[in-house]
Amino acid sequence: MTDHGPIPWIVFDRLPDPILLLDANRNIVSANQAARDLFGPDIEGADMVVALRHPEAISVAAKALGGDDPEPREITIFGEVTQIFEVRAGPIAGDGEAQAVITLHNTTSEKRAEGMRVDFVANVSHELRSPLSSLLGFVETLRGPAKEDVEAHEKFLGIMQNEAERMARIIEDLLSLSQVETNEHIQPQSNLDLALLLGQVVDVVQSRAETRGMRISLEGLDALPKVVGDNDQLFQVFQNLIDNAIKYGFEDTEVIIDAAEVEYLSSAGCAGIAVSVSDKGIGIPNEDLLRLTERFYRVD
């Protein structure tokens, strides 16, 4: 890698933000390690638009090559993981090959946090309104018309406990969702043994299945390749799915967990593993299937 000025270029390889140096024709003279990781290892020598096709990035680069210091712009780079960057550009004085520098600062976490705060308040106010209204109504009834009614006390206190537990579950779900959304732009790097992971999940939920006389069967786990993923997040996904199968399946039935290699089209052109969790229960009405990915949606 070439040195540019008194600071060795290897120093820029240590910086977390992608940095591009452009010549007068907008070609990439040098790119630090973060830029090569983001755009690919072969971007040096190519026109900047090979790496950054975004009009805002092209605009700030053109102004920097013209000798100006443009205002930073925000761009979104779509890929396997969508990321938001603040793009800055500035001219480089002197007669060297590099005439402008482009830096990209990843603001994905900050932007997501801003959106999450707004969404969290909206979700909390929406989801907690109903159980809070119920609790207030029952408190008013117990202090008024049912003040001396012991039977009504027992009935309403039971309902109030259910509503309070529902509120606790909603808050737990919201906190879990916030954690997932905080990390969703971070691509996992670990290689996981999916068969081992599924076996660990089954060990955790086995006792709950046994209390309902249910059996859990694992199929197709032999010789599965390792997958790239986050151990804790995948554990939670499969635990939630199997818990639901146990909760909503009929007693004395079987829950089947089946895994198989599949081929699918992706930007990486690689294969994957499909995992299904099947139970013998009442099922989900067809009209509700399209709404299953809605936040907090529950079938009656």
Side-chain angles (χ1 to χ4, degrees):
M1 191 68 67
T2 307
D3 290 355
H4 294 274
I7 302 176
W9 183 252
I10 194 172
V11 173
F12 292 96
D13 277 344
R14 297 293 183 179
L15 298 178
D17 289 345
I19 301 173
L20 303 173
L21 295 185
L22 307 182
D23 66 13
N25 296 317
R26 205 175 61 183
N27 295 319
I28 299 172
V29 175
S30 293
N32 72 340
Q33 186 61 53
R36 297 195 300 274
D37 290 340
L38 180 64
F39 300 118
D42 302 321
I43 59 172
E44 291 180 336
D47 191 304
M48 187 200 81
V49 297
V50 173
L52 274 173
R53 299 183 180 88
H54 202 289
E56 299 288 352
I58 296 172
S59 174
V60 296
K63 290 180 180 179
L65 288 171
D68 295 332
D69 284 303
E71 292 293 321
R73 304 289 182 86
E74 182 179 285
I75 67 170
T76 300
I77 296 179
F78 299 96
E80 291 187 1
V81 177
T82 299
Q83 299 180 84
I84 303 170
F85 289 91
E86 182 182 73
V87 181
R88 293 178 177 270
I92 297 177
D95 299 326
E97 185 180 8
Q99 295 294 302
V101 58
I102 307 289
T103 62
L104 295 95
H105 178 61
N106 195 326
T107 61
T108 307
S109 296
E110 292 90 334
K111 295 296 181 181
R112 303 256 178 181
E114 290 174 10
M116 284 168 55
R117 282 193 291 270
V118 175
D119 289 344
F120 189 84
V121 172
N123 285 327
V124 167
S125 62
H126 174 73
E127 296 297 330
L128 297 184
R129 185 180 293 115
S130 177
L132 275 174
S133 297
S134 297
L135 285 172
L136 290 172
F138 286 123
V139 169
E140 185 178 343
T141 301
L142 290 173
R143 297 181 68 180
K147 186 174 183 179
E148 307 297 333
D149 191 335
V150 176
E151 184 177 347
H153 276 211
E154 290 299 316
K155 177 181 178 182
F156 291 157
L157 285 173
I159 297 174
M160 291 170 69
Q161 180 176 349
N162 290 336
E163 290 296 287
E165 290 174 350
R166 178 186 169 198
M167 289 170 63
R169 288 195 301 271
I170 289 172
I171 292 173
E172 184 177 343
D173 287 346
L174 285 166
L175 293 174
S176 177
L177 178 63
S178 296
Q179 182 65 34
V180 169
E181 290 185 336
T182 298
N183 296 323
E184 68 177 349
H185 68 282
I186 302 174
Q187 186 169 348
Q189 301 295 326
S190 303
N191 288 317
L192 303 178
D193 184 333
L194 198 57
L196 177 63
L197 177 67
L198 288 170
Q200 292 171 342
V201 176
V202 170
D203 289 341
V204 171
V205 301
Q206 187 73 52
S207 60
R208 290 196 286 276
E210 290 174 354
T211 60
R212 304 196 69 222
M214 302 176 76
R215 303 173 304 282
I216 301 178
S217 298
L218 289 166
E219 300 180 358
L221 300 187
D222 295 335
L224 284 178
K226 290 189 175 182
V227 299
V228 177
D230 182 281
N231 185 85
D232 293 342
Q233 292 180 1
L234 285 176
F235 192 99
Q236 182 177 359
V237 167
F238 291 123
Q239 183 176 2
N240 289 348
L241 289 171
I242 299 170
D243 270 337
N244 282 341
I246 294 170
K247 183 177 179 180
Y248 297 110
F250 295 133
E251 293 186 359
D252 302 314
T253 59
E254 185 178 30
V255 174
I256 300 175
I257 303 165
D258 184 39
E261 287 189 69
V262 294
E263 297 212 356
Y264 68 101
L265 297 176
S266 73
S267 59
C270 58
I273 297 176
V275 180
S276 65
V277 179
S278 307
D279 65 78
K280 293 179 172 60
I282 193 171
I284 299 172
N286 289 334
E287 59 269 22
D288 291 308
L289 291 176
L290 294 177
R291 301 190 61 187
L292 291 185
T293 55
E294 291 183 19
R295 291 182 180 179
F296 313 111
Y297 179 75
R298 295 181 185 273
V299 178
D300 290 337

